[in-house]
Amino acid sequence: MKERIVERVGELLPDLVGDIKTICNMDSRQDTAAPEYPFGARVTDCLNKALEIARGLGFETENVGNQIGIASWGPDTEEYIACVGHLDVVDVNGVWKTDPFVCTEKDGFLYARGVLDNKGPMFCCLYGLKALVDLGYEFPIKVKIIFGTNEETGMEDMKWYFQNHKYPLMGWTPDCKYPVIYAERGRATFRYSLPKDQAGELFTFMNQFILNQNNPTTSLGIDYEDEEFGKNQVRKVELFQDENTCGMTLVSSTALFK
């Protein structure tokens, strides 16, 4: 099956590149809101174009209040798996050698605002699903590609949508150079606090478990490890105090897998 998927993806690649160019040619920065355009006309137009492309690929589509777009495939199950991303982009800054809203192909690379964040990765997932559909894969559960329109300026679209819609059983967000990077750090924050008049215990704790340890995760008993993601690591330690207490926060995470 893997070989067939790779072959079909190769066959679909020219169409994928063409559709990425089409969607990245659209300026989808947030602009003036209106009742029919919650985050402005530009990103709404981009959303409708993405759904038009998805329909052309054979998917069921739905525009939810011009805030969320959905392309779906599979049986009519209540539970579903989702790829959740966004079509809005940040403002243009820095020095561009090409027009950020004219997707330019050069030496095998595409240059435009949104190629990596997040239009290109979203369409890679859309076409990945298309490849499986074309090969006759039978999905035991519905799969949805969910296009957001307000990730860069507040995620109000997702907050609004999930007030009245079921969360996916599981899912992923294809952001940050996906699929070269296909997973991000798992992260946990620990907080250790005590009364101010016991600050000496805080310093004893830090000396014993943090400062004099080559690997604080071991001394703290959080030295978890995963085959793909590697070992849990302490990333940041911060001291704090308020009127009555003092303490520390500790952030740990697994290494980013590429």
Side-chain angles (χ1 to χ4, degrees):
M1 186 65 170
K2 180 179 179 180
E3 291 75 15
R4 294 175 62 203
I5 294 173
V6 172
E7 180 181 1
R8 185 59 185 144
V9 168
E11 294 168 350
L12 291 170
L13 185 58
D15 291 338
L16 168 60
V17 171
D19 284 338
I20 290 176
K21 288 180 178 179
T22 295
I23 208 70
C24 287
N25 284 343
M26 302 187 71
D27 182 349
S28 57
R29 292 173 292 176
Q30 182 174 336
D31 60 341
T32 304
E36 67 273 30
Y37 305 125
F39 306 112
R42 293 188 298 207
V43 71
T44 303
D45 290 343
C46 187
L47 175 65
N48 286 323
K49 173 56 71 172
L51 294 177
E52 177 187 319
I53 292 171
R55 283 193 299 273
L57 294 173
F59 295 107
E60 300 176 9
T61 62
E62 181 183 5
N63 182 324
V64 187
N66 279 337
Q67 295 196 44
I68 297 290
I70 302 172
S72 60
W73 188 270
D76 189 19
T77 55
E78 182 179 358
E79 302 286 0
Y80 67 98
I81 294 172
C83 162
V84 185
H86 63 97
L87 296 168
D88 59 310
V89 297
V90 296
D91 206 353
V92 176
N93 49 36
V95 177
W96 284 78
K97 295 183 179 180
T98 62
D99 188 326
F101 297 111
V102 176
C103 191
T104 303
E105 186 171 0
K106 183 178 180 181
D107 299 327
F109 293 89
L110 297 179
Y111 297 88
R113 175 62 87 210
V115 164
L116 285 179
D117 187 11
N118 186 222
K119 296 175 180 179
M122 284 297 290
F123 270 73
C124 286
C125 289
L126 184 68
Y127 267 83
L129 182 58
K130 168 67 172 172
L132 292 176
V133 170
D134 289 351
L135 292 173
Y137 181 80
E138 295 187 11
F139 295 87
I141 188 173
K142 186 174 286 293
V143 180
K144 296 182 180 182
I145 309 292
I146 300 179
F147 298 96
T149 57
N150 184 235
E151 193 270 354
E152 300 291 4
T153 50
M155 290 193 180
E156 296 300 325
D157 53 346
M158 294 296 169
K159 297 173 187 176
W160 171 82
Y161 177 75
F162 284 114
Q163 286 179 357
N164 297 301
H165 292 81
K166 188 179 182 66
Y167 284 102
L169 180 66
M170 63 177 294
W172 71 99
T173 297
D175 217 327
C176 188
K177 303 175 183 64
Y178 180 89
V180 175
I181 296 175
Y182 69 85
E184 295 188 61
R185 296 182 178 98
R187 184 171 296 178
T189 300
F190 300 89
R191 181 181 175 92
Y192 175 75
S193 63
L194 68 171
K196 264 188 175 180
D197 60 3
Q198 298 177 22
E201 293 186 20
L202 171 64
F203 302 134
T204 298
F205 179 91
M206 289 196 65
N207 283 327
Q208 182 176 353
F209 293 99
I210 306 293
L211 300 178
N212 295 319
Q213 297 289 334
N214 292 327
N215 185 1
T217 60
T218 301
S219 62
L220 292 168
I222 55 173
D223 51 339
Y224 305 111
E225 184 174 356
D226 181 87
E227 182 178 351
E228 282 194 310
F229 294 92
K231 295 181 178 180
N232 189 35
Q233 300 176 29
V234 172
R235 296 288 179 181
K236 182 172 66 173
V237 178
E238 291 184 341
L239 298 176
F240 68 86
Q241 67 174 357
D242 54 32
E243 185 177 350
N244 299 312
T245 63
C246 62
M248 55 166 277
T249 58
L250 179 149
V251 177
S252 71
S253 63
T254 55
L256 188 66
F257 183 82
K258 300 182 181 180

